[in-house]
Amino acid sequence: MRYKAGRKEATRERIIEVASQQFRKQGIAATGLAGLLKKADFTIGAFYPHFTSKSQLVTEMLAEALRLEHSKVCQLMQAGGGLEAAVRMYLSSEHMAHPEEGCPSAAMLPEVARQTKASRVAYKDGLLPFIDMVAESLPGDKEAAKGLAFAIFGLMVGSLQIARAIPEPALADRVLEEGIKAAMRLADAPESSVATGTKKEARGLSRRSSPRSKSK
Amino acid sequence: MRYKAGRKEATRERIIEVASQQFRKQGIAATGLAGLLKKADFTIGAFYPHFTSKSQLVTEMLAEALRLEHSKVCQLMQAGGGLEAAVRMYLSSEHMAHPEEGCPSAAMLPEVARQTKASRVAYKDGLLPFIDMVAESLPGDKEAAKGLAFAIFGLMVGSLQIARAIPEPALADRVLEEGIKAAMRLADAPESSVATGTKKEARGLSRRSSPRSKSK
Amino acid sequence: MRYKAGRKEATRERIIEVASQQFRKQGIAATGLAGLLKKADFTIGAFYPHFTSKSQLVTEMLAEALRLEHSKVCQLMQAGGGLEAAVRMYLSSEHMAHPEEGCPSAAMLPEVARQTKASRVAYKDGLLPFIDMVAESLPGDKEAAKGLAFAIFGLMVGSLQIARAIPEPALADRVLEEGIKAAMRLADAPESSVATGTKKEARGLSRRSSPRSKSK
Amino acid sequence: MRYKAGRKEATRERIIEVASQQFRKQGIAATGLAGLLKKADFTIGAFYPHFTSKSQLVTEMLAEALRLEHSKVCQLMQAGGGLEAAVRMYLSSEHMAHPEEGCPSAAMLPEVARQTKASRVAYKDGLLPFIDMVAESLPGDKEAAKGLAFAIFGLMVGSLQIARAIPEPALADRVLEEGIKAAMRLADAPESSVATGTKKEARGLSRRSSPRSKSK
DNA sequence: ACCGGCGGGACGCCCCGTTTCT
DNA sequence: AGAAACGGGGCGTCCCGCCGGT
């Protein structure tokens, strides 16, 4: 073959990488392919050998972006911080200020819901492992933990979006803080709150929240 | 007024109304003014006497949409259901399936964050009364309740968006359910858990909104 | 009648006046009626009672603008300066810098040529008295003087336009100067230059330039 | 180059060529890009790979149109006619009737004055060589000849425009004729007209015009 | 076979001249 | 006389097909 082996892959990856930044920063609909390719130091000519359409790029970009987000959070949690560290990172001013490097869900969810079926499947497939990972750090049986993980993730996504939309920095920070507190409470006192009250031990969370455990 | 009194207002309101539907359904960037006006049975010529630009329409539409959402939820809560009824409605399959008539935050938040300052201010100004209203149905001191209301709202917004993006109906419903459970837990057992530990009684929520009747 | 008598006329005149400024400044095609009316402190509603179309306004505006230009130059020449004063004024930096108050021909001639027949007739009818007036200050029989007046006027129009188009002030001024010199030579030494060589005496010109022939 | 060598250049030239016709015929502001491109058998999609904006096209079109006009006149003068032939051609009924193939200055000067700086610089840069060429066929020292050339060109431009604007063919022709006479007088008897009286011999002019007054 | 990039049209927002209603 | 509404058109950008050089 004419080109260095792997060059094609490299180009493709680069396009996806830049796309994941631009889409998160400006939105999917508002981002044009030409500008995107230029940002990746290509011209549109480089696009169609790799993707059949913009929507295919969206699909692949979602898969990749979620994979990266997943591994980023995974590392953070395994580095010792547990879920709390992840939550604090997610709901931080830095994350709020830099959507282009942040969670794809927070940056694009409503737009994802309007994409093709394939893209939405890719989103779901990228989200589930992430949810499972979060669930593993939560107490309770597997299914219950998974449900809780969905809720906690929903809380984080929503709170971050609200904070980003609010033009008042002080208020935005407040929203983030409250999101952290609520996420930790959810993680700490899973559904059993009243019934059993015993088994929390949210692997990695809890520290700060452990002693009290509210529920009595 | 030169025209039949109120005609101008009627047109303006009609444009805003259709805009709020289309923007929620298709996204702001993806919605063109021409199509929007046609949907309102006008041509583009009818737009510029009322608005100077699309972004001004976005601003006014946000204000109006939030006002309506606010009053809708308000009615629901005062009708006796309390916060729980509102949460159940928000995280229902119907709401999930009809973004065009649903919560503007759930449908457009990431795009709102990319709008002009004026639009974001309008968003904030429309959101706060809503948050305050929710807070009133929560226990604890005013500030704490407000913080909790932000978190609960974030949870609802995020969960609804996730459910909308997921192409598997069963899983989407699961996300909604878990959102409801978590929202109720948050509302039920506010932070005071340790401090006071006593009478939560989330005015209107609590167990499953049990005996009481909160409102007012 | 409802309105003070003459009010209608006043409005009409005001529209024409502002139009003659805007058209000269920005060009006819590039000037919109809405902006024009706003500049005259009206809304478009004030336009159609007075004119049936933009092109009719153009026609009337040409007649009026030429009438004014005519009388301005007439005054100048009768004030004692003669043709030379008029030429010097016409080809001055001030006139070059302010097309909106200057000669309509210099500002719009190519556009006039593309207007309706009616507009062009108005232009012609406005131009001829002006040419005749200039011709009267020129020597020779009436027809010859008229021909010369056309040429001198053409020279002035073209030179002013060239100067306006040139972005280098020094060069533009040079063009104006040369235009003045050439105009005076034409006025001074009419066609008879060789044949008769006798009685120029370009009524009103020459004074300053008469003994001249400078070069020597 | 990726395409058949010169294909891009060909398209670009074609666009410029058609633009130079349309702009001269209808005016710059009154000519739309879509119609222009269609006239060149393209769609608008073909425009932006070559030009970044309409105003850039204007700039390039001015440069090209002046270059062509220059060479056309140059050929004419070198073919033996001298300046007189050029003047007669310029102020001919044919030229008057076909602005789209004629002098860009006569067709667009007032609009050129309203274009961007870059366009006006292009105009100036295209005009100067032309003026220099005309100056070479004039007697007297170089600078004086250049000044005279400006004036003669101004005279031609203005006279042609006036003739084009006048709806009466007979009068228009009269204006052209008088323009020719005056131009020849200027060229024939440069400033020194009286002093020396003898040496006109405006390289190529004069012959036919010297003895007198021709017209009719 | 990657990639550059021309070219096709549809469509984006905005503004035009005009008509209509008051 | 004011202003809403119409609909066409302004320029510019969009996504994409396809050609052709490397």
Side-chain angles (χ1 to χ4, degrees), chain B residues 37-49:
Chain B
L37 271 286
K38 176 181 287 184
K39 199 129 204 163
D41 274 324
F42 289 107
T43 60
I44 340 133
F47 182 78
Y48 286 90

Side-chain angles (χ1 to χ4, degrees), chain A residues 23-27 29 106-107 109-110 112-114 117 120-121 123-124 127-128 143 146-148 150-151 153-155 157-159 161-162 164-168 171 174-175 178 181-182 185-186 189-191 193 212 214, chain B residues 23-27 29-30 106-107 109-110 112-114 117 120-121 123-124 127-128 143 146-148 150-151 153-155 157-159 161-162 164-168 171 174-175 178 181-182 185-186 189-191 193-194:
Chain A
F23 285 159
R24 279 181 278 196
K25 188 175 182 179
Q26 308 173 352
L109 253 184
V112 169
R114 296 178 202 111
K117 184 89 181 283
R120 295 166 65 206
V121 167
Y123 175 75
K124 184 207 63 177
L127 179 64
L128 289 185
E143 274 311 296
K146 186 168 174 180
L148 189 54
F150 269 122
F153 186 60
L155 167 59
V157 165
S159 297
Q161 287 181 4
I162 294 168
R164 279 178 179 160
I166 289 176
E168 250 172 59
L171 186 52
R174 169 92 194 276
V175 171
E178 299 289 347
K181 283 203 313 207
R185 194 168 330 127
L186 283 177
E191 72 217 284
S193 54
R212 78 295 94 39
K214 43 77 102 298
Chain B
F23 286 159
R24 280 181 279 198
K25 187 174 182 181
Q26 308 172 354
L109 254 185
V112 169
R114 295 179 201 111
K117 183 90 182 280
R120 295 167 65 205
V121 168
Y123 175 75
K124 184 207 64 176
L127 179 63
L128 289 185
E143 275 309 296
K146 187 168 173 180
L148 189 55
F150 269 121
F153 185 60
L155 167 59
V157 165
S159 296
Q161 287 182 4
I162 294 169
R164 279 178 179 159
I166 288 177
E168 251 172 55
L171 185 52
R174 169 92 193 276
V175 171
E178 299 289 345
K181 283 204 313 209
R185 194 163 332 123
L186 283 176
E191 81 222 271
S193 51
V194 180

